[in-house]
Amino acid sequence: PVVVDVAAEWCIPCKEMDATTFRDPEVRDEAERFVMVKLDMTLEGEENDRLTELFLIRGVPTTLFLDPAGEESERKVGYV
């Protein structure tokens, strides 16, 4: 399974998640079960446009949970 953290440099809640959520010992322990991927949406461009369409990203932060087949099993939007 995969966790996709969709974030941007200008996103204050994204920075807060990096400083709190992703440093929390319980979250870190649970994260060991997943491949962790970060999508940096800071810069506009074709690749980020493609990823925005592919994952139906409407804003950051967005956290996607993908099952082993690559299908989305859960989505969290905003600070978690």
Side-chain angles (χ1 to χ4, degrees):
V2 178
V3 173
V4 182
D5 173 26
V6 184
E9 284 293 320
W10 45 262
C11 171
I12 293 171
C14 300
K15 290 180 186 236
E16 290 173 353
M17 284 181 65
D18 285 341
T20 59
T21 306
F22 293 119
R23 290 181 186 227
D24 181 280
E26 288 183 47
V27 173
R28 292 178 72 113
D29 287 346
E30 189 67 19
E32 290 180 17
R33 300 181 326 122
F34 296 87
V35 172
M36 302 294 288
V37 176
K38 186 168 197 131
L39 294 182
D40 183 357
M41 304 305 277
T42 301
L43 300 176
E44 293 185 23
E46 284 184 34
E47 184 66 16
N48 280 352
D49 290 346
R50 186 181 71 75
L51 292 168
T52 297
E53 277 188 44
L54 177 67
F55 291 111
L56 302 173
I57 304 301
R58 301 293 177 245
V60 292
T62 296
T63 308
L64 304 172
F65 298 84
L66 309 179
D67 65 21
E71 298 295 321
E72 184 177 322
S73 60
E74 190 172 351
R75 173 183 295 248
K76 304 280 188 185
V77 178
Y79 177 86
V80 178

